[in-house]
Amino acid sequence: MADVVLCYSILELCMQVDAFSSEIDAVQMVLRLRQHRAVVSEALMDFYEAYFREKGPGFLQWYQDIWAGRAYSNELAVMNECEIHKKYVQNQPYYNELIALAVNTAEKIILMEPRNKIQKYMKKEWGISAFGKADILDDRGTNGFSMLTLPVHGKRVEEGESSTAIAKWIGYFLAKENYIQIFDNYLLTGEGIRQFKKYFLKYIKEGTDIEIFSMEDSSFPEQQIKSEFSKPEYQKWNFSIYLVKDKKGWHARAIQGSKYIIQVERGISVFGRNGETFQTLVNIFENNVSSRIAVTESHLKQVL
C-alpha cells in the first residue's frame, strides 16, 4: 500500500463506477486505486469540494456521499497538513497543495489526468512523479505507480539496470511478509548467497520465517551451507533450508509469502554483476490462498 496524492480529475473519472458499471477501464482504475491510501489535507478537501460544487449538484452529492468520508478512514486515506509557509508553485495554490503533500510522502506520487498539467511545475530535486489514467491502468510495471500496484504482469527488467533499484522495488513487497518461501535451484551457491544477503535479506522483517528450497552445488556443499546459515548475521530470522534431490517437476523460480507471490524468471541471478542486472521478467500477484506451498518430503533433504 502506497500513499498517493489524487487530483480531482482522477476522482471524477471514478464517478463512472457503480454496481452495474460497464465502464471496464473505470472499474479497473478504482480497483487499482483502492490498493493504496489517498493523502489529503483540509486544504485539499476544500479544493475538491469547490471543484465538484462548480461541476453541479450531482457531482457535489457524489463527492460528499462517496468520497468525503473516506478521508477520515486510516485504511483508505491519511490526513497530512503541509508546511503553512512552504511554496513550491507560485500563483497556483491547488497545484502547490498537491506537490507539497506529495513531497512529504515516501512514494512521492501525484495522480492526475492529464498528468502534463502539473508536470511543467515540477522540479527534479523534489523527487516527485505524476501519472495519468493510462499509467494507473498499466499492469506491466512500466511506471512508478504500476510497479507498486497489483497484479504486475511481465515487468521487463533490462540488462544493465540498477540492481539496487530492482531490489528496492521487490523489497517493498518482501517487507510486508510474515513468512517467505524461496524456490530457486541456484540460490545455495557462494554467489547466490552473496546476492541474497545484499539485495533481499535487508528488506525482510526480523523474526520472519524464511524457507529456502534449492539444489546443492558442488562448489558449496551441505556442510558449508550449514556453517554459513549458523553465522550470527542470520539469527534475526527463522531459517529453514531444504536441498532439492531432483529438480524435475519442481517449482519454477518464485518467492511465495503470506501476502504476495513474486516470480522472477532468472531468480536471484537477476542481480547480475557489478551492481547491474541481467535481463528478466517479473510477475507479482496477491497470494489469495495465503497458505504455504506444500512440498513432498521425499524430494527434499532438510539441512537446517
Side-chain angles (χ1 to χ4, degrees):
M1 177 183 288
D3 289 340
V4 299
V5 181
L6 303 179
C7 173
Y8 40 57
S9 59
I10 297 297
L11 298 185
E12 186 175 351
L13 290 174
C14 295
M15 282 186 65
Q16 303 171 39
V17 177
D18 60 33
F20 305 100
S21 180
S22 60
E23 296 289 337
I24 303 301
D25 281 357
V27 171
Q28 285 300 315
M29 186 165 66
V30 169
L31 290 174
R32 292 175 72 77
L33 289 173
R34 284 177 64 85
Q35 296 180 40
H36 307 291
R37 290 196 309 179
V39 180
V40 295
S41 65
E42 293 292 351
L44 184 59
M45 297 284 285
D46 289 342
F47 283 118
Y48 287 165
E49 180 143 352
Y51 176 80
F52 287 110
R53 187 182 301 279
E54 186 174 336
K55 295 287 289 187
F59 288 84
L60 181 61
Q61 189 67 49
W62 174 87
Y63 167 74
Q64 292 175 336
D65 291 347
I66 304 298
W67 177 258
R70 179 188 174 105
Y72 300 97
S73 166
N74 289 334
E75 292 183 0
L76 302 176
V78 57
M79 186 69 73
N80 187 13
E81 296 302 328
C82 305
E83 299 174 59
I84 296 174
H85 302 295
K86 186 71 173 180
K87 291 293 183 185
Y88 293 91
V89 182
Q90 298 296 326
N91 303 318
Q92 291 287 348
Y94 175 58
Y95 289 168
N96 186 77
E97 188 69 16
L98 294 176
I99 289 171
L101 286 170
V103 164
N104 288 285
T105 64
E107 292 79 15
K108 295 180 168 49
I109 290 174
I110 296 174
L111 301 180
M112 173 182 282
E113 181 62 29
R115 64 183 185 179
N116 59 8
K117 281 189 174 182
I118 199 168
Q119 283 178 321
K120 61 185 178 181
Y121 296 106
M122 291 161 43
K123 295 183 179 179
K124 186 176 181 179
E125 59 263 32
W126 298 340
I128 59 178
S129 301
F131 303 106
K133 177 183 175 181
D135 301 311
I136 297 170
L137 293 172
D138 167 65
D139 68 354
R140 297 213 171 248
T142 61
N143 64 77
F145 176 80
S146 65
M147 287 175 69
L148 304 180
T149 308
L150 302 183
V152 175
H153 288 122
K155 161 69 177 175
R156 187 176 181 87
V157 177
E158 300 292 351
E159 185 168 350
E161 290 190 40
S162 165
S163 296
T164 299
I166 296 302
K168 184 178 180 181
W169 168 50
I170 296 175
Y172 173 86
F173 298 98
L174 294 178
K176 298 171 171 48
E177 300 289 12
N178 297 316
Y179 75 80
I180 294 172
Q181 292 178 294
I182 302 174
F183 301 88
D184 189 328
N185 286 330
Y186 304 99
L187 193 154
L188 295 178
T189 63
E191 179 65 11
I193 290 172
R194 186 189 70 80
Q195 303 275 44
F196 174 71
K197 288 195 295 184
K198 182 175 182 179
Y199 293 114
F200 272 0
L201 192 55
K202 64 183 177 182
Y203 293 107
I204 301 173
K205 290 183 298 187
E206 293 182 12
T208 299
D209 292 341
I210 303 174
E211 297 178 350
I212 295 176
F213 300 84
S214 185
M215 296 283 287
E216 181 180 4
D217 189 275
S218 59
S219 68
F220 209 86
E222 180 180 331
Q223 192 54 48
Q224 199 168 348
I225 294 169
K226 290 180 179 178
S227 176
E228 174 68 27
F229 284 92
S230 296
K231 293 177 180 178
E233 62 189 298
Y234 296 101
Q235 305 315 304
K236 298 175 183 178
W237 301 271
N238 304 315
F239 277 94
S240 299
I241 310 294
Y242 299 88
L243 296 180
V244 179
K245 296 178 182 178
D246 182 3
K247 68 179 181 179
K248 185 177 180 181
W250 193 241
H251 299 281
R253 293 171 175 177
I255 302 169
Q256 172 153 327
S258 54
K259 299 180 184 296
Y260 308 110
I261 298 171
I262 304 171
Q263 300 170 338
V264 183
E265 191 176 64
R266 292 194 68 140
I268 200 72
S269 67
V270 64
F271 296 113
R273 300 187 183 93
N274 302 318
E276 295 186 347
T277 59
F278 290 145
Q279 186 182 84
T280 196
L281 295 176
V282 180
N283 300 308
I284 306 179
F285 310 94
E286 285 189 86
N287 182 3
N288 295 317
V289 178
S290 297
S291 59
R292 304 187 191 206
I293 294 177
V295 293
T296 305
E297 292 185 4
S298 62
H299 292 168
L300 303 171
K301 179 181 180 181
Q302 185 169 5
V303 298
L304 188 69

